[in-house]
Amino acid sequence: MPVTQEVDCGTAKLLPDVDRPRAVLLTVDGAPQSYVDLDEPTYLEFEYARRIAHVLDAAAEPGRPLDALHLGGGALALPRYLAATRPGSRQQVIEADRGLLGLVRRYLPLPADSGISVHAADARTALEAAPAASADVVVADVFGGSRVPAHLASAEYARAAGRVLRPGGCYVANLADSAPFAFLRGQLANFAAVFARLCLIAEPSMLRGRRFGNAILVASQEELPLADIARRVTADAFPARVEHGDRLRELIGDAQPVRDAEAVPSPEPPTGAFSVG
């Protein structure tokens, strides 16, 4: 049966998938947050989650454990994926909503040997407190409702992410915007000021400004496995494009890094863009 519970950030619902016996969709105030199949943790329903998973798959040789810091937890779909595909990985998950964490722990518990530790804290505070050079990957999927919070959208935040990563590590973030991409361009400018290499993964229709949608930002100090990532995302049911180099610089244009004092949340999605039920 569906489960409804008031959490810190609104009304959370766990909606069973009738086609998959132990799969559940998590929504908060009608916006999809996570989809988890307890029997098959490598199954990712959302396109943006699969694109992040492609980056994680390409981040190191297959099966090699990684040290990961996840900012934003939801139902822990991506930490579960990484634990299944890279056994032995050590993962720290930061989720600000204590009520949501309690709901997930009760109805969608983690295996005892998952290597995943979950902490109730603010993502920026936890990032700034994390030891330097302690993570192979930082995965950011933090939304207050349907918007990326302003304090996770500044140049200072980008520098904090860079400090936590080891040499060769990568930062991966789920962002959302639409043309003329004022928010997205500012985020790219923030990370271009800190990292030597960037790419952006998104559907062509979103990049052409035809609709509001998700875009995955990837940043590293070293060369990114662009060909591998491109091969993976173009093979999806909803193919995406990998923008980098000159095309990414054209998208950034004259955008400048955004300081904490000027940072704003990502734009409100159009009505119905991500809602369920």
Side-chain angles (χ1 to χ4, degrees), residues 104-257:
V104 170
R105 286 190 177 113
R106 180 177 180 185
Y107 291 100
L108 303 171
L110 291 165
D113 60 349
S114 68
I116 301 169
S117 299
V118 184
H119 310 276
D122 172 74
R124 174 81 177 262
T125 302
L127 180 69
E128 291 175 342
S134 59
D136 298 307
V137 292
V138 173
V139 180
D141 186 15
V142 185
F143 282 76
S146 297
R147 307 177 74 183
V148 177
H151 70 301
L152 305 182
S154 69
E156 291 89 342
Y157 165 77
R159 284 200 296 272
R163 183 190 64 83
V164 169
L165 284 170
R166 292 174 178 147
C170 71
Y171 173 88
V172 192
N174 178 30
L175 304 173
D177 202 358
S178 61
F181 302 119
F183 177 79
L184 183 58
R185 292 171 65 235
Q187 300 317 295
L188 291 169
N190 287 344
F191 281 84
V194 175
F195 290 88
R197 308 291 180 182
L198 299 182
C199 76
L200 189 72
I201 307 168
E203 288 185 31
S205 60
M206 185 267 187
L207 292 171
R208 287 195 289 266
R210 294 181 180 174
R211 65 176 185 85
F212 188 96
N214 296 95
I216 306 304
L217 168 64
V218 186
S220 179
Q221 298 295 6
E222 297 186 9
E223 291 286 348
L224 292 166
L226 296 172
D228 192 3
I229 294 171
R231 177 180 59 80
R232 295 170 187 272
V233 302
T234 55
D236 280 340
F238 295 93
R241 198 162 72 200
V242 179
E243 298 285 16
H244 60 95
D246 290 342
R247 296 189 67 163
L248 198 60
R249 284 187 283 272
E250 289 175 10
L251 178 58
I252 296 172
D254 60 359
Q256 297 297 311

Side-chain angles (χ1 to χ4, degrees), residues 245-276:
D246 290 342
R247 296 189 67 163
L248 198 60
R249 284 187 283 272
E250 289 175 10
L251 178 58
I252 296 172
D254 60 359
Q256 297 297 311
V258 182
R259 309 288 297 184
D260 272 331
E262 291 82 37
V264 297
S266 61
E268 189 76 41
T271 301
F274 299 130
S275 62
V276 173

